[in-house]
């Protein structure tokens, strides 16, 4: 078995296959960055809807809570199919890529909203009051007083969630988006061993996540203010 | 919206889907239980194993937290199948999920160990508590306080991840949704019902775990 696996290696890592895998990695990265880039912004807005000191409109607050609780409590796979069939029912046939992007955006928004809310709640209410006493507007209270202190609570989990979402993009393979996991499936169907195909994909994900982790650590150091005592 | 809903074609399958929800719970319990056992061993290992073992254990944790569950499941199911060991889909899903689970739980347990203060153990010894009394009155309360809430969260997360089993043919909630879909073609209706069932399942778990933590363990924390 090991022998036949080794004999497949040169063919498996031929130039065309390498290019194919590289493209697939590109799709995985693109899905993650687009999904998180847009989703995190929505999540931030959703979190603000739930902070009564900034926006105090109960129906908006309740819908934000409802959305977040719904999306957090659905498996990614089910959410993916709900988005796909939902748009189909509405008369829009989207590409797999679009469905995957929308699903990741929804997911990222729901998760980020919880993280941002926890971060904002970690800042003592006196800070808001003090800023209000200084006659800062609500938005300025948030921007200049509360957020700078909240970042250090928000960023570490947000970075971990970024890697979680990167891993979740593998589920987009189920609607034929040619990202890294689907590429593994195609290699397997081309006749290469499943152990080799999926094993390579697994290692590539590991390398990718480690690389992201390293970049993220560096950004974290730059973004988070030192803690004052 | 031109789509007309036909839930009436799907209702007859509700008991079948609910049976799937039970399989989901079984899958989550197996993956979580096994993961907790493994995770505890890994955590103890990282804390107290001889130096040469710590590197591999740290790699184990880093590797399995940084790779997608789906690929692990596919590798176990198709990879081992190819080598001549056919693993039933249910167990392939359990082991695939268990690997990541153990890595996450190891981290949680380590945080728990770290929360027990050396000085408090010395104090317990000074006032003459026996080893069992120390465990019961000093170590365990700390450990539960830090470990229970993240463990409960992780259990609910693992319920959601079990849906990946459907991809290799486990007939849990999502898998049964696929089956009903291929019989009735009412895809949207089925996935709405299945979505509601997942939300209900996690809400019930949240309530039960919160109650257990609050009234049995005396830990008050927000769960999931």
């Amino acid at each position: 078995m090991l022998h036949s696996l080794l004999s497949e290696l040169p063919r498996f890592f031929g130039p065309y296959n390498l290019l194919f895998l590289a493209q697939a990695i590109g799709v995985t990265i693109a899905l993650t960055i687009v999904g998180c880039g847009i989703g995190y912004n929505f999540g931030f807005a959703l979190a603000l809807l739930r902070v009564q000191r900034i926006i105090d409109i109960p129906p908006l607050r309740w819908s934000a809570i409802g959305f977040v609780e719904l999306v957090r409590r659905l498996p990614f796979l089910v959410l993916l199919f709900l988005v796909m069939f939902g748009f189909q029912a509405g008369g829009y046939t989207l590409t797999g890529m679009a469905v995957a992007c929308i699903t990741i955006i929804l997911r990222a928004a729901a998760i980020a909203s919880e993280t941002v809310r926890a971060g904002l709640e970690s800042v003592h209410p006196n800070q808001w009051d003090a800023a209000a006493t200084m006659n800062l507007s609500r938005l300025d209270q948030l921007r200049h007083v509360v957020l700078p202190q909240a970042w250090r609570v928000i960023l570490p989990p947000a970075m971990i969630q970024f890697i979680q979402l990167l891993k979740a993009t593998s589920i987009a393979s189920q609607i034929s988006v040619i990202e890294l996991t689907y590429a593994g499936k195609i290699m397997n169907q081309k006749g290469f061993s499943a152990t080799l195909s999926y094993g390579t994909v697994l290692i590539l994900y590991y390398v990718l996540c480690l690389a992201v982790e390293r970049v993220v650590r560096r950004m974290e150091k730059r973004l988070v203010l030192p803690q004052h005592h | 919206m031109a789509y007309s809903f036909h839930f009436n074609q799907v209702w007859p399958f509700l008991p079948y889907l609910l049976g799937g929800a039970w399989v989901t719970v079984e899958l989550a319990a197996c993956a979580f239980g096994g993961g907790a056992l493994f995770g505890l061993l890994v955590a103890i290992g990282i804390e107290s194993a001889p130096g040469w073992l710590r590197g591999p254990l740290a790699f184990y944790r880093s590797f399995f937290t940084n790779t997608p569950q789906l690929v692990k499941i596919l590798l176990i199911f198709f990879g081992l199948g190819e080598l001549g060991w056919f693993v039933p889909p249910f167990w392939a899903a359990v082991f695939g999920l268990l690997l990541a689970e153990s890595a996450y739980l190891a981290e949680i347990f380590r945080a728990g160990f770290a929360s027990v203060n050396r000085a408090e153990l010395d104090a317990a010894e000074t006032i003459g508590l026996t080893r069992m009394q120390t465990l019961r009155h000093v170590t365990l309360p700390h450990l539960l306080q830090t470990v229970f809430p993240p463990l409960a969260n992780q259990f609910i997360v693992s319920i959601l991840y079990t849906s990946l089993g459907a991809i290799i043919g486990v007939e849990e909630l999502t898998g049964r949704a696929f089956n009903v879909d291929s019989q009735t073609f009412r895809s949207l209706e089925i996935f709405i019902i299945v979505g509601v069932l997942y939300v209900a399942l996690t809400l019930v778990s949240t309530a039960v775990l919160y109650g257990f933590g609050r009234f049995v363990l005396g830990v008050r924390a927000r769960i999931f």
Side-chain angles (χ1 to χ4, degrees):
Chain A
M1 188 59 226
L2 191 67
H3 183 73
S4 77
L5 219 133
L6 284 177
S7 66
E8 275 183 26
L9 275 181
R11 228 159 35 86
F12 187 88
F13 291 109
Y16 288 107
N17 288 344
L18 282 184
L19 190 67
F20 177 61
L21 285 174
Q23 278 174 344
I25 291 178
V27 173
T28 292
I29 295 175
L31 269 178
T32 315
I33 290 180
V34 171
C36 287
I38 302 175
Y40 276 14
N41 282 303
F42 275 124
F44 190 79
L46 280 171
L48 292 190
L49 289 181
R50 296 172 68 175
V51 180
Q52 289 180 44
R53 282 178 183 268
I54 299 172
I55 301 163
D56 194 10
I57 308 172
L60 277 182
R61 183 162 69 241
W62 298 329
S63 3
I65 294 173
F67 169 82
V68 170
E69 285 304 304
L70 185 69
V71 173
R72 279 171 73 225
R73 289 171 186 278
L74 288 175
F76 193 88
L77 186 60
V78 173
L79 188 62
L80 194 69
F81 282 113
L82 273 174
V83 169
M84 185 167 81
F85 294 130
F87 274 99
Q88 271 176 15
Y92 307 96
T93 310
L94 301 180
T95 60
M97 189 70 184
V99 172
C101 272
I102 294 172
T103 311
I104 296 164
I105 289 171
L106 293 178
R107 186 65 160 201
I111 294 171
S113 130
E114 283 290 281
T115 313
V116 172
R117 192 177 57 93
L120 294 179
E121 278 175 3
S122 75
V123 178
H124 198 278
N126 286 355
Q127 297 283 325
W128 289 95
D129 294 336
T133 317
M134 306 273 282
N135 225 359
L136 294 183
S137 71
R138 285 181 182 194
L139 222 55
D140 281 343
Q141 293 170 24
L142 177 73
R143 241 181 71 192
H144 298 298
V145 178
V146 178
L147 263 186
Q149 303 178 67
W151 277 133
R152 83 171 70 89
V153 181
I154 295 172
L155 282 176
M159 302 297 188
I160 293 170
Q161 285 150 8
F162 185 83
I163 293 179
Q164 303 269 29
L165 285 159
L166 191 154
K167 292 189 292 170
T169 60
S170 69
I171 301 170
S173 62
Q174 295 312 304
I175 53 169
S176 311
V177 177
I178 308 182
E179 42 66 74
L180 194 46
T181 307
Y182 198 72
K185 190 177 164 188
I186 290 179
M187 296 300 274
N188 186 16
Q189 282 167 351
K190 274 186 181 171
F192 291 108
S193 129
T195 315
L196 186 59
S197 310
Y198 290 122
T200 307
V201 165
L202 196 68
I203 291 168
L204 286 175
Y205 270 112
Y206 181 54
V207 173
L208 197 57
C209 287
L210 281 193
V212 170
E213 207 180 2
R214 188 152 297 176
V215 174
V216 151
R217 283 257 165 82
R218 198 166 298 163
M219 276 166 58
E220 215 172 45
K221 266 192 202 134
R222 201 171 294 171
L223 284 169
V224 175
L225 294 170
Q227 180 117 36
H228 298 294
H229 286 289
Chain B
M1 193 154 141
Y3 192 83
S4 56
F5 285 93
H6 291 286
F7 277 104
N8 52 346
Q9 292 176 23
V10 185
W11 288 133
F13 293 96
L14 193 60
Y16 176 68
L17 289 174
L18 284 173
W22 179 243
V23 180
T24 288
V25 173
E26 284 177 344
L27 194 54
C30 287
F32 184 83
L37 199 68
F38 260 64
L40 194 60
L41 290 178
V42 172
I44 293 174
I46 289 176
E47 288 294 315
S48 56
W52 58 269
L53 203 62
R54 275 180 217 186
L57 284 175
F59 175 74
Y60 174 93
R61 217 187 55 209
S62 141
F63 188 78
F64 289 119
T65 44
N66 283 315
T67 44
Q69 273 89 329
L70 175 59
V71 183
K72 276 173 269 192
I73 293 175
L74 292 174
L75 186 60
I76 289 174
F77 188 65
F78 292 113
L80 289 182
E82 177 184 81
L83 297 176
W85 297 308
F86 174 74
V87 187
F90 182 87
W91 291 106
V94 166
F95 286 117
L97 295 172
L98 188 152
L99 289 172
E101 210 73 51
S102 63
Y104 285 123
L105 296 177
E107 202 49 41
I108 295 174
F109 285 127
R110 251 172 40 120
F113 296 155
S115 75
V116 181
N117 198 333
R118 183 72 238 172
E120 288 185 25
L121 293 182
D122 291 342
E125 205 183 330
T126 314
I127 60 170
L129 294 188
T130 65
R131 203 172 259 204
M132 279 316 283
Q133 282 171 327
T134 311
L135 187 69
R136 179 160 150 39
H137 297 289
V138 183
T139 314
L140 269 183
H142 273 299
L143 209 58
L144 286 177
Q145 202 81 13
T146 31
V147 162
F148 179 73
L151 275 187
N153 279 336
Q154 191 59 36
F155 178 70
I156 295 178
V157 171
S158 65
I159 290 181
L160 298 179
Y161 273 116
T162 56
S163 71
L164 295 181
I167 292 166
I168 53 167
V170 182
E171 293 196 335
E172 39 69 74
L173 190 44
T174 312
R176 291 195 179 188
F178 290 157
N179 291 349
V180 179
D181 188 22
S182 60
Q183 282 185 49
T184 62
F185 299 106
R186 308 306 323 174
S187 315
L188 186 57
E189 289 88 334
I190 295 159
F191 278 95
I192 288 175
I193 293 176
V194 165
V196 169
L197 288 178
Y198 272 111
V199 172
L201 204 57
T202 54
L203 281 176
V204 170
S205 310
T206 296
V208 169
L209 289 168
Y210 176 81
F212 183 76
R214 175 103 166 68
F215 299 111
V216 180
L217 302 177
V219 179
R220 190 184 284 209
R222 193 167 171 257
I223 306 290
F224 201 69

